[in-house]
Amino acid sequence: MDLTGKIVILTGVSKGIGHATAAALLAKGAIVAGWGRTAPDGLAHERFQFIECDVRSEVSVQEAYENTRREVGQEVHVLINNAGEGIMGPVDGFGADDWRTMFDTNVHGPFYCCRAVLPQMKRQQLGHIINVASLAGTVGNENMAGYCATKFAVRGFSESLFKEVRADGIKVTCVNPGSVETYFNGATPGAAPNPRKLQPEEVAATILHVLESPPGVLISEVDVRPLQPGK
């Protein structure tokens, strides 16, 4: 897809992968509606529109979609479900509220967003949905049961959805990053990039590579790993 002039909805735009992806999309000429709870810094651009949204709320997602159509345009060419929450801990010491927060953000949020945009994408017979999951959705890890469970769910949702909508000309891709230097789990990125982790810009570049694939090509899933991870 040539991204010039295309309308992209991007959740979790405030920082990390979302912020980097918004910047990369703008550099390619896209029109970006960035959804998030907090407005991002450093994305002032005539083709960027911040839309307040909490993807955990079905009502908030629907309002954000209506606001996007009013402020940006009726068509939706790309949806990137990037907003995510990671909370770690052993199962027997895990709070039920934290468990629900992760599922509301990581699983229910993409469902609400996909359901909002799919009618328009089907009318267009054109669209691309990217769900950002994780390599944690491919293998279970201790003290990550909740997070892994949500990302396994995103992968299953993505695989089912691509089979459901491919006949409508809609692509669905699940992107599974490995360890990324972001604010994940409350961490703060260091002043200097950690060469043992993926950088948000590298994941953004992968997302753009997928979006720019030829019209007849469906890349259904991509694993993204640091080349030389820490031991």
Side-chain angles (χ1 to χ4, degrees), residues 124-153:
Q124 297 167 181
Q125 290 288 288
L126 173 70
H128 199 151
I129 295 170
I130 291 187
N131 295 321
V132 179
S134 171
L135 288 179
T138 65
V139 61
N141 291 292
E142 64 273 16
N143 295 316
M144 293 180 65
Y147 183 72
C148 290
T150 65
K151 295 304 185 179
F152 268 87

Side-chain angles (χ1 to χ4, degrees), residues 85 87 94-103:
E85 186 77 48
I87 305 171
F94 210 81
D97 287 344
D98 287 341
W99 185 275
R100 282 190 290 268
T101 293
M102 279 198 294
F103 271 87

